Amino acid sequence: MLLDFLDFAHEIGDDTKGKNITRINEFVLVGLSNVSEIQYLLFVLFLCIYLTTVLANLSIIFVVRFSPSLQTPMYFFLANFSFLEICYVTATVPKMLSNFLTTHKTITFYGCVMQMYWFLLFGGTECYMLAAMAYDRYNAICKPLQYGIILSKKVCIQLVSGSYLIAAVNALIHTVLTFTLPFCVNIIDHFFCDIPPLLKLSCSDTWFNELVIFLISGSVIVGSFILTMISYAKIISTIVNMKSNTSRQKAFSTCVSHFTVVIIFFGSGIFMYFRPKSSYSMDEDRLIAVMYTIIAPMLNPFIYTFRNGNVKVAVKRLMHQMAITQKF
């Protein structure tokens, strides 16, 4: 239905304000660099990062799935977050990698539509997933006796499902509004189809799109960020009032890891989507986009999980069980 509607809008957008609009069947992605000599080097670098991200997150899913000691709400969210990160990087990185190896760096019109939709879907879901994970830590630290009751399995599933639903609506709105604009040129000064670089290609006034970004994305990004900050504010207040130094240090260590991910993701997202079109700088934006679309998903498993003592113990137990199984 989405593609049919966009196809209709694409057909009728032949003239805007007296300008002849050429029907665009494909876009050219400029990528990270125009220097051909470093294309293979960038391919190897980002392929390693992509594989590390996918394998690290798959490892987390595997460990949580087969470790009885990790069947708690915290690790339920972490496993879902890991799955989300795999989808998030896969929405953009494979196409970028293929473009490193070819001189014809293009993506079809509808390929661009779907790439933007999936990227916004998974990115928006991550916003509310981070808020849900902060809420989980708030209940674990501030209401430990009620933790299992408040975050039942049903509630956890509802929080994850709600995150996807909100993000799906947000992604649909922005994708439709962006691709019903008339485009005068087809060269995207970026390495994937994102809203800011596509708005720069439009021949028409994009004030309405920018307003919708501010209002709706504000509800998604800023709204989830505020919810996350409320949880952390209450967590910090509880930690400060703890009498045991050991409990205080353990809780603080957990929160610092989570807070690092929150700042990286929300900080770069707010910078990217809450500026007027006139202030877009594609060279600067590409570097920031690399941070929140590629680097952050690679770091998240190490920040969130591999420093976690319970996960280390669970990994050792699984390895021990696998070694015993192989003997027999």
Side-chain angles (χ1 to χ4, degrees), residues 20-281:
N20 291 323
I21 309 301
T22 303
R23 178 182 171 87
I24 292 176
N25 295 314
E26 65 178 17
F27 291 99
V28 177
L29 292 167
V30 172
L32 293 176
S33 174
N34 292 321
V35 182
S36 58
E37 288 77 7
I38 66 171
Q39 296 295 305
Y40 291 108
L41 177 62
L42 290 174
F43 172 81
V44 173
L45 173 63
F46 286 105
L47 176 62
C48 291
I49 292 174
Y50 177 67
L51 292 176
T52 300
T53 302
V54 172
L55 292 175
N57 283 291
L58 281 175
S59 299
I60 293 171
I61 295 171
F62 177 82
V63 171
V64 172
R65 173 65 180 81
F66 294 102
S67 298
S69 62
L70 301 183
Q71 303 307 305
T72 65
M74 174 182 175
Y75 297 104
F76 172 81
F77 286 123
L78 282 175
N80 278 277
F81 188 73
S82 294
F83 171 76
L84 179 61
E85 292 285 60
I86 293 171
C87 297
Y88 183 58
V89 296
T90 301
T92 58
V93 175
K95 183 60 181 177
M96 181 184 72
L97 291 174
S98 68
N99 283 344
F100 282 136
L101 302 179
T102 180
T103 56
H104 193 59
K105 304 178 189 298
T106 61
I107 184 170
T108 65
F109 179 87
Y110 294 113
C112 194
V113 170
M114 296 312 299
Q115 185 182 61
M116 177 183 285
Y117 178 78
W118 291 120
F119 171 75
L120 294 176
L121 169 64
F122 297 128
T125 304
E126 188 161 334
C127 290
Y128 276 97
M129 192 77 79
L130 287 169
M133 294 168 75
Y135 179 66
D136 166 74
R137 291 299 82 207
Y138 158 71
N139 285 287
I141 294 171
C142 302
K143 300 179 180 180
L145 299 179
Q146 301 171 284
Y147 178 53
I149 299 174
I150 294 173
L151 283 171
S152 63
K153 186 174 181 179
K154 179 181 179 181
V155 171
C156 292
I157 292 173
Q158 288 174 340
L159 288 171
V160 172
S161 302
S163 299
Y164 277 98
L165 179 61
I166 293 170
V169 174
N170 175 67
L172 181 63
I173 292 171
H174 290 301
T175 302
V176 169
L177 287 178
T178 300
F179 286 97
T180 50
L181 289 171
F183 298 112
C184 293
V185 292
N186 70 334
I187 300 176
I188 301 175
D189 194 10
H190 213 337
F191 63 91
F192 71 99
C193 296
D194 199 5
I195 299 174
L198 278 161
L199 292 185
K200 290 183 73 72
L201 305 184
S202 178
C203 304
S204 63
D205 190 350
T206 60
W207 72 269
F208 182 72
N209 295 69
E210 295 177 60
L211 178 63
V212 171
I213 291 173
F214 182 79
L215 294 177
I216 298 181
S217 291
S219 300
V220 174
I221 299 176
V222 178
S224 57
F225 179 70
I226 290 173
L227 291 174
T228 303
M229 290 299 98
I230 290 172
S231 294
Y232 281 117
K234 293 184 177 181
I235 289 170
I236 292 170
S237 176
T238 302
I239 291 174
V240 170
N241 293 321
M242 285 181 176
K243 295 180 180 180
S244 170
N245 287 332
T246 302
S247 298
R248 190 184 300 119
Q249 290 175 358
K250 183 178 179 181
F252 184 74
S253 176
T254 301
C255 288
V256 167
S257 298
H258 291 204
F259 196 69
T260 301
V261 175
V262 168
I263 292 300
I264 292 173
F265 184 78
F266 281 108
S268 55
I270 290 171
F271 177 82
M272 279 294 293
Y273 297 106
F274 288 87
R275 295 173 296 155
K277 187 174 72 170
S278 58
S279 68
Y280 295 161
S281 172

Side-chain angles (χ1 to χ4, degrees), residues 63 67-70 75 305-321:
V63 171
S67 298
S69 62
L70 301 183
Y75 297 104
T305 308
F306 294 139
R307 293 174 62 253
N308 186 297
N310 293 333
V311 173
K312 291 179 181 178
V313 171
V315 169
K316 289 179 181 179
R317 286 177 180 171
L318 281 176
M319 292 178 66
H320 180 67
Q321 291 173 1

